[in-house]
Amino acid sequence: MLTIALLSLLHVLVFVYWLGGDLGAFYASRYLTKPGVSADRRLFAATMVGDVDMAPRTSLILALPTGLSLAQAKGWLNLGWPVVLGVSAVSVAWLAIAWVRHLNHAANPVFGTVDMALRWGLAGGLIFAAAASFAGLISIPLFLAVKFLALAGCVLLGLIIRRTLTPLFPALGALSAGGDTADAEVTIANTLAQARPQVKAIWTLLLIAALFGLWAPASF
């Protein structure tokens, strides 16, 4: 029972830090577009957003291993602990890569390729498992299949957000260099305006996953 309680706590903390970190980064990003804010304060806000955003990035990576561990411990899945531990080991390695890339922006570009491959692999694997469950090919409880799809959606939306934010970094570089700050500020404002609905979509998927996680097991 203690093991299940600890695994439940870890999985809940993933949700708390993911949503809480996203909300913090979302709020801090307002200072990037707030009128009358100096360039140096905008750059400071950008640094803060990047640091705070590591909470949801970490949570995304830990969502699957904590969830699978809890499902295995409660008997919702019968993957076997070697498989669960293998997934956890890969996730820990992935997490190390994510933090190295964050702390060292000049990190080996191979890390970026591995990170992208893992994200696409995770999204594809979750969608395949959920589809196979709906088709009756494998036995996965409905609430877990829905949570799989929600996590896959979060991963894919994260990739879309990365693409949306591409113009942001040259604009921040222009601010740092003291160039045409007016054009840079317009680019920053337009880019963040495009990204915000996508971030809110992630919040919706997180709440759906949490709802099914709390409600469905009671009648499993």
Side-chain angles (χ1 to χ4, degrees), residues 122-142 144-150 152:
L122 174 60
L126 291 170
I127 292 171
F128 175 81
S133 174
F134 295 147
L137 300 177
I138 58 177
S139 179
I140 297 178
L142 176 61
L144 281 182
V146 172
K147 284 169 68 69
F148 282 2
L149 289 179

Side-chain angles (χ1 to χ4, degrees), residues 18-213:
W18 190 336
L19 186 57
D22 249 1
L23 287 169
F26 187 87
Y27 179 79
S29 71
R30 296 172 56 190
Y31 288 91
L32 289 171
T33 58
K34 189 174 181 179
V37 176
S38 63
D40 60 331
R41 293 185 67 184
R42 293 184 196 278
L43 291 170
F44 176 76
T47 301
M48 182 183 298
V49 169
D51 290 341
V52 173
D53 193 52
M54 282 307 296
R57 291 186 187 185
T58 297
S59 297
L60 181 149
I61 294 171
L62 296 181
L64 183 64
T66 59
L68 288 183
S69 297
L70 182 59
Q72 178 70 30
K74 287 198 171 186
W76 296 332
L77 288 177
N78 189 25
L79 297 173
W81 282 109
V83 172
V84 174
L85 292 175
V87 171
S88 299
V90 171
S91 298
V92 169
W94 181 10
L95 184 60
I97 289 173
W99 273 96
V100 167
R101 295 187 68 214
H102 174 68
L103 296 174
N104 180 10
H105 298 294
N108 191 325
V110 173
F111 287 169
T113 302
V114 172
D115 178 80
M116 290 295 291
L118 287 170
R119 290 176 189 275
W120 282 110
L122 174 60
L126 291 170
I127 292 171
F128 175 81
S133 174
F134 295 147
L137 300 177
I138 58 177
S139 179
I140 297 178
L142 176 61
F143 74 93
L144 281 182
V146 172
K147 284 169 68 69
F148 282 2
L149 289 179
L151 180 55
C154 289
V155 174
L156 294 175
L157 280 167
L159 293 171
I160 292 171
I161 291 171
R162 283 190 178 193
R163 181 175 292 273
T164 300
L165 293 179
T166 300
L168 182 65
F169 306 105
L172 291 172
L175 282 183
S176 179
D180 190 346
T181 58
D183 284 351
E185 289 174 5
V186 170
T187 299
I188 292 170
N190 291 339
T191 301
L192 292 179
Q194 294 177 46
R196 281 174 180 136
Q198 299 161 4
V199 173
K200 292 176 181 178
I202 289 180
W203 298 350
T204 301
L205 290 177
L206 285 175
L207 292 174
I208 290 172
L211 175 63
F212 274 82

